[in-house]
Amino acid sequence: NVMAAPHLMSRICIAKSEREFGKAMVLLAVAIPICIIGLIYPFSYMSLIEGVSVEADVFPWVAKNLVPPVLGAIGLSGVIAAAISTATSLFQQASATLSSDIIKTYFKPDMTEDELLKVSRISVIVIAILVFIGSNSPQIGPATIMYAFLFATACFSSWLPSLVLGVLWRDATTQGAFWSMAISLPVIIILAVGRNMGIFPLWVVPNIIGLIISTIIMYVVSKFTETTPEQRELFDSIRG
């Protein structure tokens, strides 16, 4: 999910070099399992403790009751900082998609850089207002927002093979990338919704199944289609 999440992958642009980026990815591969095993899984059982009735109250409860106040304040500050960092990245990616990929591509192709920057800034404000209104709706709680985020990250696996194979495999084709995403994404949505409704068992993991299907389709379709000279030239320029 980290490799396929646009708001996370956009942060590689601030890396000083490919070497620094590689070191960061190695540290990330070590840190994520530690955080999941050491923090997220144990905290998920905190809701069984008296006084913790909502999943979103787990971290504040731990910060106030299980650790010294100073350490708890530092921990909550880290959580808030991570939330703000993720939110800014999401706003940036959403505004870039709306202004550049949609408005400029389909409505005003001759848009200048200054106009594009202005539209991007307005898009950030509009998206922020919509998110604020939606998050303050009484029908939407913290758990719903978290589940929606997890559901969205599951969909990232549908285009992960296109990202990886498109850079590492010279025979990867546009048709293979398109059909791998077009077929695996609906499968992921069906599995996620079905598991939430109790149709599929909990051990059915939508992102893993979607990743397998997407990879297979990407490989098979690419084998039966050909890359264009322009695509091969672009691949060679990326690989150096």
Side-chain angles (χ1 to χ4, degrees):
N1 288 342
V2 173
M3 293 182 62
H7 63 284
L8 298 178
M9 286 301 294
S10 64
R11 301 182 186 183
I12 68 174
C13 296
I14 64 176
K16 293 188 297 183
S17 62
E18 293 183 2
R19 181 180 178 83
E20 294 298 324
F21 173 66
K23 290 165 58 177
M25 293 303 294
V26 172
L27 293 175
L28 183 65
V30 176
I32 287 181
I34 293 176
C35 291
I36 292 177
I37 297 174
L39 295 176
I40 298 179
Y41 283 167
F43 281 6
S44 64
Y45 294 99
M46 289 293 180
S47 58
L48 302 177
I49 300 177
E50 185 178 357
V52 183
S53 58
V54 182
E55 293 84 350
D57 295 336
V58 170
F59 279 96
W61 188 93
V62 171
K64 292 190 297 183
N65 296 278
L66 295 186
V67 297
V70 175
L71 185 59
I74 295 175
L76 287 179
S77 299
V79 173
I80 295 173
I84 294 175
S85 174
T86 301
T88 55
S89 298
L90 288 170
F91 283 137
Q92 185 269 331
Q93 286 296 318
S95 65
T97 300
L98 180 60
S99 59
S100 180
D101 296 340
I102 297 178
I103 296 178
K104 182 178 181 179
T105 302
Y106 296 103
F107 297 99
K108 195 175 181 181
D110 58 344
M111 185 183 299
T112 64
E113 291 296 327
D114 292 337
E115 291 175 336
L116 181 62
L117 179 60
K118 183 178 180 179
V119 172
S120 179
R121 290 173 175 173
I122 296 174
S123 300
V124 171
I125 297 175
V126 172
I127 294 171
I129 293 174
L130 293 176
V131 171
F132 178 78
I133 295 174
S135 60
N136 282 274
S137 175
Q139 292 79 16
I140 301 178
T144 304
I145 297 175
M146 176 58 70
Y147 182 81
F149 176 77
L150 295 175
F151 178 80
T153 56
C155 296
F156 293 157
S157 60
S158 65
W159 59 73
L160 179 59
S162 300
L163 293 176
V164 176
L165 295 179
V167 176
L168 300 180
W169 187 30
R170 198 168 191 267
D171 293 331
T173 64
T174 303
Q175 296 89 334
F178 172 79
W179 286 110
S180 67
M181 293 185 287
I183 296 177
S184 61
L185 182 58
V187 172
I188 293 173
I189 295 175
I190 292 173
L191 291 177
V193 174
R195 190 174 71 165
N196 187 46
M197 297 175 61
I199 300 176
F200 302 113
L202 293 178
W203 53 263
V204 174
V205 184
N207 53 347
I208 299 299
I209 297 177
L211 178 62
I212 296 173
I213 294 176
S214 181
T215 303
I216 293 175
I217 295 175
M218 177 73 179
Y219 178 80
V220 172
V221 176
S222 295
K223 278 295 186 180
F224 286 92
T225 54
E226 295 184 359
T227 57
T228 63
E230 292 79 9
Q231 292 172 344
R232 291 184 177 272
E233 182 179 352
L234 176 61
F235 177 87
D236 293 336
S237 65
I238 294 176
R239 299 294 296 172

